[in-house]
Amino acid sequence: MEILSTLLKPVVDFALPPRCPICGVTVEADNRFCLSCWNSLDFLTEPWCASCGRPFAFEQAAGTQCAACLKKPPDHDGVRAVVAYDDNSSLLPMRLKYGGRLGFAELIAGQLERFLGEIPADALIVPVPLHRWRLWSRGFNQSVLIGRALSERSGIAMETGVLARKDATPPLRSMSAKERRRLVKNAFAVSHDAQSKLKGRAVILIDDVYTTGSTANACARILKVSGADQVTVFCWARVLTEYDQS
Ligand SMILES: [Zn+2]
Ligand SMILES: [Zn+2]
């Protein structure tokens, strides 16, 4: 509870005029970062791994894969993350989820738009589902909010009924990659009537943070088994310290 109240505290101070989502200084318009926080964010750009989108420090030949993907390719077809996950960037999804700063979903969607160029126009936006218990206690699914905002901006259809979470998984934050993988392996299901919607389609899988990839891979696997042609993960932040991709 102590962590939660620390997280929520700055939010109480948020009121008009618009404030920077990270540090809280007054800014020109809603959902804009101040210059210093903007500069502190580690925006992820090419060159990156051809399989998973992990950024490379140096230019590589086209089609080069990172070490983790060479060892075991992911089930998804790449991650497009706006920024690297760190103390600053993690505040945004935290305050969206636990502080109810729903406007941050719009901010994240605006940043994700840059990745749409490589996505087919008839793609489908599919948010990573929350288990109904968690949805009930939180009142909203942050991935649905981000997906809806992206859908409204781009005209790409969103389907929230395609993917469902069968089992409630405990918070994964403190778990190892292996434990996460075991827990989420069979946690998702595709509804029977959704298979016709998925057939041959490209899917944009929306999540707020990409950590070890266990959730995204579990979702991608079932979406592809159910007919999806490709699954690209769109998220706000990606953890770059862990190398396990499966
Ligand atoms: Zn700031
Ligand atoms: Zn890779």
Side-chain angles (χ1 to χ4, degrees), residues 48-54 56 64-70 74 238 245:
W48 50 45
C49 167
S51 287
C52 75
R54 172 183 285 275
F56 291 132
T64 303
Q65 291 177 301
C66 72
C69 289
L70 281 173
R238 177 175 183 165
Q245 295 290 311

Side-chain angles (χ1 to χ4, degrees), residues 172 174-185 214:
L172 299 176
S174 56
M175 290 185 194
S176 73
K178 202 173 165 191
E179 285 173 315
R180 286 169 186 246
R181 205 156 53 228
R182 186 179 56 75
L183 269 168
V184 301
K185 200 171 165 217
S214 52

Side-chain angles (χ1 to χ4, degrees), residues 19-25 27 32-38:
R19 291 177 183 275
C20 169
I22 291 176
C23 73
V25 303
V27 289
R32 295 253 184 95
F33 297 103
C34 75
L35 190 61
S36 121
C37 287
W38 176 265

Side-chain angles (χ1 to χ4, degrees), residues 16 27 56 70 79 120 157 160-162 167 170 193-194 202 239:
L16 290 172
V27 289
F56 291 132
L70 281 173
V79 181
T160 52
V162 162
D167 309 315
D193 59 338
V239 174

